[in-house]
Amino acid sequence: MSVLPEHPCNMKEFKLYVGLNPDHMIQVLHAGLRDDSISETFSIKNVNRDGVLFPTRFIKIIPLSAHGQSFHISIWHVSISGITEPSYVERIRVRYDEHRETVVLRQILKHLRERRLLTPYQSILSRTQIQFEHPIVTSLHASLVLQGNWSEAELLLTQASSSGLFQSYLQSCQPHAQWRRLHGVDADGDAPSKRGGHAMCIDPDNGHIYLFGGWDGYKSLDDFWMYDIRSERWHVISHSAALEKNGPIARSCHKMVFDTKSGSIYLLGRLGDGDVMPPRPEDEEALRRAGERVGSRTTYCSEFYRYHTRGLDAGKWDLLSFDTASSGGPPLIFDHQMVMDCDAQVVYVSGGRVVDGDWDSPKYSGLYSYNVRTSKWKLLQPVQSPSSPTSQPALLPRFGHSMVLDPHTHTLFIFAGQRDDRYLSDMHVYEIASNTVSELFSNFSASGGPDACFTQRAVVDPSLKEVYVFCGLTRAQQSSALTVLRSDAPNWVYQYSNPSQPGRWTQILAELVPETLCGSSGDHGHVHGGSKSGGLGPDEAGRSELSVPLPRYAHQVVYDERTKKVYMHGGNAGEGRGIADDQRANEAEKVEGGASTGMGGSIEGGEPEGGGGVDSSASASGTEGGASGEERPKSELRETRLDDFWVMDLVRAAPEEVIRQAKYLIRRQRFREMCEEQPAVKALRYLQTEVSEVVDHTNPEEASVFRALLAHLLSPSAIISPGDSTASAGGIAEREEPPKKRSRPNTPDEVWTNVIDGEDDDTQHASRTPTDSESITRSSTPAKRNRAVLQMNEDPEEMRVRGEGRKAVSAERFRQRTEMFESLLAFVGDDVKQPKGSLLDLVDAEDGL
């Protein structure tokens, strides 16, 4: 698509619709054009929300604005590319039509069963190959709604749990973090020292975690460690990698990834002592080997390293490139993000702040890929100005952000971080195959997610489709200059079913509350942390050990997808956390513009990750690095580096808890029916024994509902005869009611009725607000009184399923049991139960029925 060069009539913003029918089209793009004659290419969405490909016959472009005000909008050239091979397009069309038929028929089946029309329901099922729901769910409906076989229904709950029908629900429950501190050391009793801004990666096959570098408050580090998960012991690989052949010099704010195919570690980026002050003598030789000039440091080269953990070259470093920028890769950067697709043998590098010696004018890097097989770099997404029109949602350049890879769907999630003095709370997804960026959230804080954050850490479990986010510096408002390390340190989980669609944010609770299922109480929606001290210095003697880690930033986390465990090490806990005064004096930190605090305090201005100093108010709050004598900040602040090592398990509700709550719903309904059909003494005994047995009496809400059940004994609902033809679909008989008299002070003889003067029966019926029980079968058109659209009488198919030994149920009873059954479906995954929504909603939808 292109327009004239720099003309006010050129189209700036537009929407694109596609479809098979010009009267029914869907929006697939909302974007903008630059004001120049350079052609721009847009990737068009070709799958629906269910992931099904759809074909396109018609295209509609709706211009929204021009580059000049009050000008007509011009488009000078549009070309379309795609697959046009007739046989392929026809296969896609047939498949898409079958998908639409399936969606519609499943909604119809749900509608028929809810309305007690079981004969047509069964007829449709027998004549189609539609999987409406899991067979256990179908049996549960028959036992509960049609037969009232309560014991059979409870047995089916156990079968449903064994078949995994509750698994997706359990996964969606708000998790609790279960932390355990690891105290492993090496053979000499040593472990990695206190630091922040270091790098870690994990070898999941062998259970090894690798740690390199960081900033300890005085200098950058170049020690290299390996932690054996099985033996829970550290092993030092090198006390100084800079002394190794081709080894990297001391650094912080770098990144490492592990290649499970070759057992190699890739390392890129740095903020080293020599980048902001003259290098140490021991680093000069390493810099020369890397091809950099030592002395004036007018050239900043980005070295790219590989370390071999196995094979003939095990224990050796390779210098893959002394300057990635010269071969089409990123410049020297820090606080970037790096992930690896091991199957495709491609490394992805996102963002980061450029190290060029000019700390007053921050520059950022784009999104790159490195192909291990070809040793080639490629720029995927260049750095874009926030104000320039783009052909797709702008992925603002940033640093101190998070990026994770879902290798199953070949997508990258990129979110949060900092740009200039602004903390970000947006989230984008990058589709590798199409090289397109989509915005999931412009502000995830407004969608129930964390505050705008920086130097948080994130890992992903692609099999569970969950992203775990840990701590970091936050700002309640993106534009605020007040940076906070919250004392409650909320950690989060982001759950998604389709990477291109916004998912759900859930806060991770810090302590497991026994016998609590997700959604049962909102009292535990906070994280318990930062209220105790310990494990930070010699003054920890006699102090109880922390059960959860302190809030922190500039830490590192890795995730073992096989064991579902998160490992976290070190970081910066802010100012003055549990350190003896003499130790805190030795921890004095050089920071420009203010202090960070870990006890719910604030950090004014900016600092590099972890507290190192770069003399610029626009530098990164929380970045680990050193400051030169010339760049030395005016103030020195005391901050706490950490050397603690933790492992975390996420604990969710057990299947037994789901079964308990489901039994509670079933027994409540059974008790309700017993109150109406059996002696009160028998119903009371059932309430005190069977119902009470499955109640969580420690849950105030659940206990309150249980006590309220006694009301059914005192005033049971009126029993409606199963053969009552006047019963509406909701079970409320539409009987003629006598007019109601009500005295009024000035008109004592006036008769007050529910009929407005001049209103006929049809109008009255249509204008009266239906009750909940009536609304299930109300037609959208008026009907005469005493003539319901649908008579909820027993269906012949229902008689067959019910059997001769059980009596028929009334319309009201059918409605009650249906509501209870659909309440149980909340525990069942969407892929094995009836669809959500209702056909009735189509009536009120835009362009609906």
Side-chain angles (χ1 to χ4, degrees):
M1 183 178 292
S2 62
V3 293
L4 288 175
E6 296 187 15
H7 193 280
C9 291
N10 286 339
M11 182 172 65
K12 179 180 180 180
E13 184 182 5
F14 68 95
K15 290 183 179 180
L16 180 67
Y17 293 79
V18 301
L20 293 172
N21 187 315
D23 297 325
H24 180 73
M25 307 182 78
I26 59 174
Q27 178 183 323
V28 293
L29 183 66
H30 182 184
L33 284 172
R34 296 187 299 265
D35 192 14
D36 56 35
S37 59
I38 301 175
S39 297
E40 298 182 58
T41 302
F42 302 86
S43 296
I44 306 302
K45 182 177 70 172
N46 63 341
V47 295
N48 63 8
R49 62 184 179 183
D50 296 322
V52 179
L53 288 167
F54 59 83
T56 295
R57 177 174 294 173
F58 298 94
I59 294 178
K60 177 170 63 176
I61 300 174
I62 299 181
L64 300 178
S65 65
H67 280 275
Q69 295 184 356
S70 302
F71 280 86
H72 294 292
I73 302 175
S74 301
I75 307 174
W76 291 91
H77 173 73
V78 176
S79 64
I80 301 170
S81 62
I83 301 175
T84 58
E85 202 276 316
S87 61
Y88 177 81
V89 174
E90 179 62 17
R91 287 198 304 272
I92 296 299
R93 186 195 65 79
V94 171
R95 197 174 304 158
Y96 183 60
D97 285 345
E98 289 178 350
H99 168 74
R100 295 200 297 173
E101 288 283 357
T102 300
V103 171
V104 171
L105 283 174
R106 293 184 76 238
Q107 283 288 353
I108 291 174
L109 288 169
K110 175 185 177 182
H111 187 83
L112 292 174
R113 188 168 69 176
E114 285 180 340
R115 271 66 185 173
R116 213 172 183 179
L117 299 173
L118 298 182
T119 299
Y121 164 85
Q122 194 61 44
S123 177
I124 294 175
L125 276 180
S126 63
R127 295 181 59 185
T128 61
Q129 298 179 350
I130 292 177
Q131 181 69 37
F132 179 59
E133 60 193 6
H134 195 280
I136 293 179
V137 178
T138 301
S139 299
L140 186 63
H141 179 272
S143 298
L144 287 177
V145 181
L146 306 183
Q147 300 171 342
N149 190 339
W150 313 108
S151 57
E152 175 67 19
E154 292 190 6
L155 290 175
L156 287 170
L157 294 177
T158 304
Q159 294 182 29
S161 178
S162 302
S163 301
L165 270 59
F166 300 149
Q167 191 58 42
S168 62
Y169 171 79
L170 292 173
Q171 198 63 34
S172 68
C173 288
Q174 188 169 18
H176 300 260
Q178 191 173 73
W179 291 96
R180 178 173 66 91
R181 185 167 180 178
L182 303 172
H183 298 277
V185 294
D186 67 0
D188 296 326
D190 296 328
S193 59
K194 299 176 181 181
R195 67 190 69 203
H198 46 302
M200 291 202 311
C201 62
I202 186 171
D203 175 1
D205 296 332
N206 296 300
H208 293 162
I209 297 174
Y210 294 88
L211 182 153
F212 181 85
W215 169 262
D216 67 357
Y218 302 100
K219 63 184 182 304
S220 297
L221 305 174
D222 63 342
D223 52 344
F224 194 20
W225 296 79
M226 185 270 287
Y227 181 81
D228 190 303
I229 295 176
R230 295 181 180 87
S231 65
E232 295 192 355
R233 296 184 65 87
W234 282 103
H235 303 273
V236 60
I237 299 174
S238 173
H239 287 289
S240 178
L243 301 180
E244 306 286 336
K245 182 180 179 180
N246 294 326
I249 64 171
R251 64 191 61 215
S252 63
C253 309
H254 52 293
K255 292 295 177 287
M256 296 194 308
V257 293
F258 189 87
D259 179 15
T260 56
K261 295 289 186 182
S262 64
S264 299
I265 296 174
Y266 293 88
L267 185 151
L268 177 71
R270 72 164 188 264
L271 184 63
D273 298 341
D275 298 316
V276 291
M277 70 174 88
R280 297 177 299 173
E282 56 266 32
D283 288 339
E284 290 188 0
E285 181 59 31
L287 289 169
R288 291 190 182 97
R289 291 198 305 267
E292 295 197 35
R293 295 195 310 169
V294 179
S296 63
R297 295 298 308 275
T298 56
T299 302
Y300 293 86
C301 294
S302 174
E303 312 96 5
F304 188 32
Y305 297 93
R306 176 172 59 198
Y307 179 80
H308 300 274
T309 66
R310 56 178 182 251
L312 296 177
D313 294 327
K316 296 181 180 179
W317 287 95
D318 293 333
L319 180 60
L320 299 177
S321 174
F322 70 89
D323 185 19
T324 54
S326 63
S327 55
L332 179 58
I333 51 178
F334 69 92
D335 274 356
H336 50 294
Q337 284 297 314
M338 186 162 71
V339 297
M340 182 169 189
D341 187 338
C342 298
D343 292 332
Q345 288 290 282
V346 177
V347 176
Y348 297 93
V349 180
S350 165
R353 183 170 172 182
V354 176
V355 179
D356 60 358
D358 183 7
W359 298 107
D360 295 324
S361 302
K363 305 175 186 64
Y364 307 97
S365 182
L367 177 62
Y368 291 83
S369 67
Y370 175 78
N371 191 308
V372 173
R373 296 189 180 98
T374 62
S375 301
K376 298 293 184 182
W377 285 96
K378 181 180 180 181
L379 177 61
L380 302 175
Q381 293 284 319
V383 176
Q384 298 176 345
S385 170
S387 60
S388 62
T390 60
S391 59
Q392 54 184 317
L395 179 59
L396 292 178
R398 64 193 68 203
F399 71 128
H401 56 295
S402 295
M403 177 176 72
V404 295
L405 166 70
D406 183 340
H408 300 162
T409 59
H410 305 288
T411 53
L412 298 171
F413 293 92
I414 303 172
F415 59 96
Q418 181 177 359
R419 175 179 172 82
D420 300 333
D421 59 350
R422 179 189 177 195
Y423 277 23
L424 305 174
S425 60
D426 59 346
M427 187 180 213
H428 292 78
V429 61
Y430 173 78
E431 297 181 9
I432 296 173
S434 61
N435 189 30
T436 57
V437 175
S438 302
E439 184 181 73
L440 297 178
F441 300 96
S442 60
N443 180 9
F444 49 62
S445 303
S447 300
D451 291 335
C453 46
F454 173 75
T455 67
Q456 73 291 330
R457 302 303 183 221
V459 291
V460 65
D461 189 323
S463 62
L464 299 178
K465 295 187 175 181
E466 292 185 338
V467 178
Y468 310 115
V469 184
F470 297 90
C471 292
L473 300 174
T474 62
R475 287 179 181 170
Q477 297 180 357
Q478 294 178 350
S479 59
S480 172
L482 183 65
T483 301
V484 175
L485 180 59
R486 292 178 54 180
S487 60
D488 57 358
N491 301 321
W492 297 81
V493 57
Y494 173 74
Q495 298 170 317
Y496 62 95
S497 55
N498 185 341
S500 60
Q501 299 293 330
R504 184 170 69 100
W505 289 95
T506 304
Q507 187 171 324
I508 299 175
L509 304 183
E511 296 179 358
L512 178 62
V513 180
E515 300 182 1
T516 297
L517 193 63
C518 76
S520 61
S521 175
D523 297 336
H524 312 295
H526 61 281
V527 176
H528 306 286
S531 59
K532 294 183 282 186
S533 300
L536 297 176
D539 63 327
E540 70 179 335
R543 194 181 287 180
S544 61
E545 186 179 358
L546 286 172
S547 60
V548 295
L550 287 171
R552 64 193 67 201
Y553 62 99
H555 49 302
Q556 282 301 321
V557 297
V558 294
Y559 181 68
D560 189 342
E561 186 179 349
R562 302 185 182 187
T563 61
K564 310 299 182 185
K565 295 180 182 294
V566 175
Y567 296 86
M568 181 176 72
H569 180 274
N572 192 328
E575 183 180 3
R577 278 184 174 271
I579 293 277
D581 290 340
D582 55 343
Q583 275 203 313
R584 288 206 302 260
N586 293 331
E587 288 285 330
E589 190 56 38
K590 306 171 182 63
V591 181
E592 168 66 21
S596 70
T597 174
M599 299 300 290
S602 63
I603 300 172
E604 295 292 344
E607 65 189 74
E609 178 176 316
V614 172
D615 188 17
S616 169
S617 60
S619 66
S621 298
T623 298
E624 286 288 348
S628 69
E630 297 176 352
E631 303 287 342
R632 190 180 304 276
K634 298 179 181 179
S635 62
E636 292 188 356
L637 300 174
R638 301 172 181 177
E639 292 192 340
T640 302
R641 296 300 180 288
L642 302 172
D643 60 355
D644 51 348
F645 193 33
W646 297 83
V647 60
M648 187 204 77
D649 290 287
L650 282 183
V651 181
R652 291 183 167 92
E656 292 76 17
E657 177 65 12
V658 176
I659 294 175
R660 182 197 66 80
Q661 286 210 9
K663 285 183 177 179
Y664 178 40
L665 292 174
I666 292 174
R667 294 182 186 184
R668 276 170 50 185
Q669 176 62 28
R670 183 179 183 182
F671 168 73
R672 184 177 181 179
E673 296 186 16
M674 290 177 70
C675 290
E676 300 176 2
E677 301 171 355
Q678 299 187 26
V681 174
K682 186 175 182 180
L684 180 60
R685 187 181 303 114
Y686 181 81
L687 177 67
Q688 294 173 333
T689 55
E690 301 297 320
V691 180
S692 179
E693 180 184 65
V694 292
V695 175
D696 179 8
H697 295 280
T698 64
N699 186 321
E701 181 181 350
E702 196 167 313
S704 175
V705 173
F706 171 70
R707 291 191 296 269
L709 292 176
L710 284 171
H712 289 289
L713 279 174
L714 303 177
S715 56
S717 302
I719 302 175
I720 302 174
S721 171
D724 188 352
S725 62
T726 63
S728 69
I732 301 296
E734 303 249 6
R735 299 183 179 91
E736 193 69 43
E737 298 180 0
K740 298 178 182 179
K741 286 190 176 182
R742 186 171 67 183
S743 300
R744 303 175 70 181
N746 298 328
T747 55
D749 298 329
E750 183 177 357
V751 176
W752 192 258
T753 73
N754 60 353
V755 181
I756 301 175
D757 290 341
E759 183 179 57
D760 60 18
D761 287 347
D762 287 1
T763 306
Q764 177 201 353
H765 182 83
S767 63
R768 185 169 63 90
T769 302
T771 64
D772 291 341
S773 59
E774 292 173 308
S775 61
I776 194 172
T777 56
R778 282 285 187 227
S779 170
S780 58
T781 58
K784 288 187 177 296
R785 288 177 63 85
N786 296 323
R787 296 193 59 184
V789 173
L790 180 64
Q791 302 296 326
M792 289 282 284
N793 297 328
E794 187 177 38
D795 186 277
E797 176 64 19
E798 181 182 346
M799 296 180 186
R800 185 190 67 80
V801 175
R802 172 171 55 81
E804 297 181 357
R806 301 178 184 275
K807 67 177 183 179
V809 298
S810 66
E812 171 65 10
R813 182 72 70 236
F814 185 90
R815 182 192 66 81
Q816 291 175 0
R817 291 181 177 180
T818 298
E819 287 181 354
M820 184 263 298
F821 168 75
E822 293 186 349
S823 296
L824 293 175
L825 292 184
F827 301 125
V828 180
D830 291 341
D831 56 336
V832 292
K833 66 181 180 183
Q834 65 186 25
K836 295 181 179 179
S838 170
L839 286 180
L840 299 181
D841 296 335
L842 295 178
V843 177
D844 301 320
E846 184 178 358
D847 299 328
L849 300 178

